[in-house]
Amino acid sequence: MIDPYAKQLVGKLRWGPELFGYRLNHADKDKSFDERDSAPLMQKCRVIDPAFTWGSSRKPETSWERTISYEMHVKGFSQLHPLVPEAERGTFAGLANPNIPAYLRSLGVTSAELLPIHAFVDDSYLLDKGLCNYWGYNSLAFFAPEPRYLHSATANEFKAMVNQFHAHGIEMILDVVYNHTAEGNELGPTLSFKGIDNASYYRLMPDQKRYYINDTGTGNTVNLSHQRVLQMVADSLRYWATEMRVDGFRFDLATILAREPYGFDEGGGFLDACRQDPVLSSAKLIAEPWDIGPGGYQVGQFPPSWAEWNDKFRDTVRAFWKGDAGVLPDFAKRITGSGDLFNKRGRKPWASVNFVTAHDGFNLNDLVSYNDKHNEANGEDNRDGHSNNHSWNHGVEGPTDDREITALRERQKRNFIATMMLSHGTPMLLAGDEFGHSQNGNNNAYAQDNETTWLNWLGITSQGRSLREFTRKLIATRRAFPILYRSRYVVGALNEELDVKDVTWLTPAGEDMTTEQWQDGNARCFGMLLDGRAQESGIKRRGSDATLLLVYNAHFDVVNFALPAVADGTEWLALIDTNQPEGQLASFPFGHKYAVTGRSLVAFGLSAEDSTTRRLRQGMGSILDVMETPLPL
């Protein structure tokens, strides 16, 4: 059996009946006992030398407000990368190639979030179909890096990768899976925890301890209510945060970690352990706040120090740009940090991790290209994966040569990324979305270790390059204007001294929206005016008092939007127009009716006669400086 504290595994697990604690051919299977030796089939644990010279690089320590996350897969990102030596592709050494973190830095993201890298197992039923557990959500050893990601024979290869990312100012966040293990239920193999202390490591049915509680949907549930199991998980987190120097963790099915036998508890053992630990409390902690157990959906319920994946942002933004009716009020909540979910107990807008796509589900290209999932390659007759995706193929299922449909799809991609980058909260971009990578309609590519999931760097089209440059411009815009990542929620509060509100909602006529207009199910166009003068006092940052106007038009037709008059201003400067991704800066007077193309987003900055104009121009100058920096590929 694998030592739970092993720092490295060698060899490869080979499936055979000896791995099971019972006789596979026995009539009452799991009540039998198999005494055969499983050692020849098992991976082995290696004692490692932890010595490593870190050099002068330090953790970037990027504040939550400035964090822009990028979800990526170790192998999928580098397997086809032409600037990575072929022998190193798909490994930590491949990601350690300086061109990789340099690309992320040039793109503008601050944090790389890696899909699971703890040692995991390929299920036998997947191997029988010629597939594998590509995503890695099947952990076996919580201290050991996955052997297939090691180019060398030493676990220090992971440290070299982290060191290189830190040298480029990029944080490293790990997607960790402490909610279940690869041992499955009572019919699963005996590989480690099950053979050492089954009743302590796993949650068992109270009246039938032969069976496992399955709040994860994978067969078993790790028992963090047991003090030694909780200690092991905390030790694992501290090991990766200190010895391996990672900057944070995204917890898969995090509700399970906070669930005690009586249910979800914000004051439970695991969350308390993270809160009081001097190492863990200073790391970035991100929850996937749901599971399939009782009371499993807990978005907004984690402690103030945590951020959470916000699926309501994902679904609402998708529905809005698809043109669904009655979405506008909820959309307004999502783009202002989802205060209805997170504005409590001192939590900040950054607590909402805003994403439109992630590894699980359609990627961005497929979101605008398919109405239905196409998962036949997974060998489950297309039964797996989500069916309710809020996706829209715009008239043709899959690839098309129709120029109008293609143009609309490209604009919709820009709308999605722009909405995410120009919203309050922490944006998370999925690797490959910035240049239109496609998975051919597969929205559950967990078993596809092939060209379906590998990013095709040499196959990036002209449209893909244009989208990538537009993404860089959006990220640079966000970074240039702190009003987009302010530390307080905008709630329409009035600054009585200046007689301005932090946010004003506008109709296309440039007037304040009424209750009736909010309730109009056919309304699909509105403006959000963020007045920088209403910023919190004491903030002295470049652009912190810049006033921005964001106009969203989900109608199919053009809407002429009257640009409002704002005190202390002279005119509006168009910063972003998703219909003109390469458009130049242009000024427009108050009252001008700007033609907002159907299915498009436009961002304006207020041009004034005082220092605000200088800050605005300086901010745009920094954007142009970023755009002039060439990407490594």
Side-chain angles (χ1 to χ4, degrees), residues 169-234:
I170 305 296
E171 292 182 316
M172 183 64 66
I173 296 175
L174 300 185
D175 193 334
V176 289
V177 188
Y178 295 111
N179 58 78
H180 73 278
T181 74
E183 293 186 300
N185 60 18
E186 66 279 359
L187 297 179
T190 299
L191 307 175
S192 180
F193 310 100
K194 185 182 291 187
I196 295 172
D197 190 350
N198 183 66
S200 295
Y201 280 109
Y202 296 113
R203 293 192 186 277
L204 306 177
M205 297 297 291
D207 300 326
Q208 291 182 299
K209 294 187 181 296
R210 169 186 176 187
Y211 300 107
Y212 293 73
I213 292 175
N214 184 21
D215 290 339
T216 65
T218 63
N220 65 51
T221 304
V222 173
N223 181 22
L224 269 77
S225 296
H226 192 285
Q227 57 187 3
R228 290 307 176 202
V229 181
L230 175 60
Q231 178 186 351
M232 177 192 68
V233 171

Side-chain angles (χ1 to χ4, degrees), residues 478-497:
R478 178 183 179 86
R479 297 178 69 175
F481 299 105
I483 196 172
L484 293 171
Y485 51 89
R486 57 177 291 162
S487 59
R488 291 172 58 187
Y489 289 92
V490 292
V491 294
L494 177 67
N495 183 320
E496 295 182 357
E497 179 182 353

